[in-house]
Amino acid sequence: MGIDLTSFGQLLDLSMSFQPKGRTLMLGRQNFFFCRIPTRGWLRSWRKSTDPFQEAVDKRRLPLRAADLVQPDGYAEKVFIALGFGQIESMDVSNFEAATMIWDLNQPVPSEWHGQFDFIFDGGTIEHIFNAPTAFENVHSMLRVGGRFVAATPLNGWPGHGIYQFGPELVWSYWHRAKQCKVHACRALSRDSAAKLEIPDPALSGKRTEWTDRPDDFPTGAVYLWYDVEKTSNSIGPSVAQQSDYVTKWATSDASRQLNEGRT
């Protein structure tokens, strides 16, 4: 995966409110698909525009030409720099794409990398990593307090893409409750159109977010899970997440039992 029109638009919006001051890291050296847009299916929804990337920039009134984002090797460093995310570094398991940091995220990162990054972006890497919990713990460790982790990861319609497709439960049960991070965004985004859906915390309703509940609202086809979380001063180390609706049910059951015990 990499930066396409869908994730580019989200990064544009993020850049209007978040400008990291320190180091920035992308997991995997992400491509920028500007040069390949005529062959991409999602362009059908933007066919009225001869340059959908420039149209996205113009809507936000930024002094930026989309053509300036393209670099000869096809990677995305210029995108992040142009949007104000800083001089970006990249991490990969091998140097076959010339990443600046070589590490297998299946393994805990060195302690000297802890708290070193203000912004970490995953444009489609962790779903390829078998030890996903270790990879997420690594991301949390490498963020400084106040730093943001943003991910565009397969949510639906990518059956052969990676080892996993992650759901919004990951955002709310792991990042929000287990790690005590602040969730700035959790949404489903269509790769093939402008369709999107904000996904609230299931613990608030005690009910899982299901496609079948609101079939007309959820994007169809290939769908990204886009989320943005901030490491807070209360964020904790290694932890285990429990699914939201179960936690709510357990809490309700415990309260009911205690009430009944108090009556006897």
Side-chain angles (χ1 to χ4, degrees):
M1 292 171 65
I3 310 299
D4 60 14
L5 183 58
T6 299
S7 52
F8 179 72
Q10 297 297 306
L11 287 170
L12 266 175
D13 289 342
L14 178 64
S15 72
M16 306 297 285
S17 60
F18 175 62
Q19 297 285 312
K21 303 301 182 183
R23 297 171 71 184
T24 296
L25 176 69
M26 59 176 158
L27 305 183
R29 195 175 179 207
Q30 301 296 311
N31 289 281
F32 180 45
F33 291 129
F34 181 90
C35 60
R36 287 191 269 171
I37 59 175
T39 64
R40 297 301 296 261
W42 44 260
L43 187 60
R44 300 188 196 104
S45 299
W46 307 85
R47 61 179 57 175
K48 294 182 180 179
S49 171
T50 55
D51 186 343
F53 287 91
Q54 189 63 57
E55 182 176 278
V57 169
D58 291 343
K59 283 182 178 178
R60 286 135 178 107
R61 299 181 180 179
L62 294 178
L64 181 66
R65 292 189 310 158
D68 294 335
L69 305 175
V70 181
Q71 55 193 68
D73 58 11
Y75 292 107
E77 284 86 359
K78 287 182 69 175
V79 174
F80 289 91
I81 293 170
L83 294 180
F85 293 125
Q87 189 68 41
I88 193 163
E89 303 169 58
S90 55
M91 178 181 291
D92 211 333
V93 69
S94 79
N95 62 1
F96 83 110
E97 290 186 312
T100 58
M101 301 174 68
I102 306 301
W103 191 261
D104 182 357
L105 286 171
N106 282 294
Q107 308 299 326
V109 296
S111 59
E112 57 264 32
W113 293 353
H114 290 187
Q116 292 298 303
F117 295 93
D118 289 76
F119 181 37
I120 299 177
F121 178 73
D122 177 11
T125 294
I126 295 184
E127 73 267 19
H128 302 284
I129 298 172
F130 181 74
N131 289 331
T134 299
F136 289 125
E137 291 289 346
N138 282 334
V139 169
H140 181 267
S141 295
M142 290 189 292
L143 280 176
R144 71 164 182 85
V145 172
R148 304 270 281 268
F149 173 53
V150 174
T153 188
L155 171 60
N156 198 41
W158 307 76
H161 175 78
I163 299 175
Y164 304 105
Q165 290 189 122
F166 297 111
E169 187 64 42
L170 169 70
V171 181
W172 295 110
S173 64
Y174 176 76
W175 286 108
H176 181 54
R177 267 177 291 284
K179 306 307 289 183
Q180 299 182 32
C181 291
K182 180 178 180 180
V183 177
H184 289 277
C186 179
R187 58 182 63 110
L189 300 172
S190 171
R191 184 197 62 178
D192 302 313
S193 72
K196 66 178 181 180
L197 179 69
E198 302 296 330
I199 305 176
D201 185 355
L204 299 179
S205 64
K207 185 178 180 181
R208 298 175 187 176
T209 303
E210 300 283 0
W211 257 234
T212 54
D213 292 340
R214 298 163 62 187
D216 295 332
D217 294 337
F218 278 95
T220 58
V223 182
Y224 293 115
L225 173 66
W226 177 277
Y227 62 94
D228 172 3
V229 298
E230 177 182 342
K231 185 174 181 178
T232 70
S233 58
N234 295 322
S235 294
I236 59 178
S239 53
V240 176
Q242 302 287 354
Q243 188 159 339
S244 302
D245 62 310
Y246 285 132
V247 171
T248 301
K249 291 174 182 176
W250 294 334
T252 302
S253 176
D254 288 344
S256 177
R257 185 176 62 254
Q258 290 172 6
L259 179 61
N260 290 331
E261 290 173 350
R263 290 173 176 172
T264 60

